[in-house]
PDB file of all heavy atoms in Angstrom:
ATOM      1  N   LYS A  82      86.480 207.209 -24.147  1.00 47.00           N
ATOM      2  CA  LYS A  82      85.748 205.952 -23.985  1.00 47.00           C
ATOM      3  C   LYS A  82      86.595 204.729 -24.298  1.00 47.00           C
ATOM      4  O   LYS A  82      86.238 203.620 -23.931  1.00 47.00           O
ATOM      5  CB  LYS A  82      84.461 205.949 -24.797  1.00 47.00           C
ATOM      6  CG  LYS A  82      84.646 205.845 -26.282  1.00 47.00           C
ATOM      7  CD  LYS A  82      83.320 205.760 -26.963  1.00 47.00           C
ATOM      8  CE  LYS A  82      83.534 205.356 -28.408  1.00 47.00           C
ATOM      9  NZ  LYS A  82      82.317 204.957 -29.020  1.00 47.00           N
ATOM     10  N   ARG A 138     101.308 200.944  -2.708  1.00 94.00           N
ATOM     11  CA  ARG A 138     101.412 202.326  -3.049  1.00 94.00           C
ATOM     12  C   ARG A 138     100.706 202.617  -4.368  1.00 94.00           C
ATOM     13  O   ARG A 138     100.350 201.684  -5.087  1.00 94.00           O
ATOM     14  CB  ARG A 138     102.885 202.775  -3.144  1.00 94.00           C
ATOM     15  CG  ARG A 138     103.634 202.420  -1.853  1.00 94.00           C
ATOM     16  CD  ARG A 138     105.032 203.006  -1.847  1.00 94.00           C
ATOM     17  NE  ARG A 138     105.033 204.457  -1.833  1.00 94.00           N
ATOM     18  CZ  ARG A 138     104.802 205.200  -0.758  1.00 94.00           C
ATOM     19  NH1 ARG A 138     104.448 204.651   0.359  1.00 94.00           N
ATOM     20  NH2 ARG A 138     104.859 206.520  -0.837  1.00 94.00           N
ATOM     21  N   ASN A 187      97.317 218.236 -17.982  1.00 60.00           N
ATOM     22  CA  ASN A 187      98.258 219.368 -18.009  1.00 60.00           C
ATOM     23  C   ASN A 187      97.911 220.382 -19.092  1.00 60.00           C
ATOM     24  O   ASN A 187      98.582 221.422 -19.170  1.00 60.00           O
ATOM     25  CB  ASN A 187      99.692 218.835 -18.232  1.00 60.00           C
ATOM     26  CG  ASN A 187     100.279 218.316 -16.940  1.00 60.00           C
ATOM     27  OD1 ASN A 187     100.236 218.981 -15.929  1.00 60.00           O
ATOM     28  ND2 ASN A 187     100.836 217.105 -17.007  1.00 60.00           N
TER      29      ASN A 187
END
Side-chain angles (χ1 to χ4, degrees):
K82 71 177 192 166
R138 304 188 66 75
N187 281 310

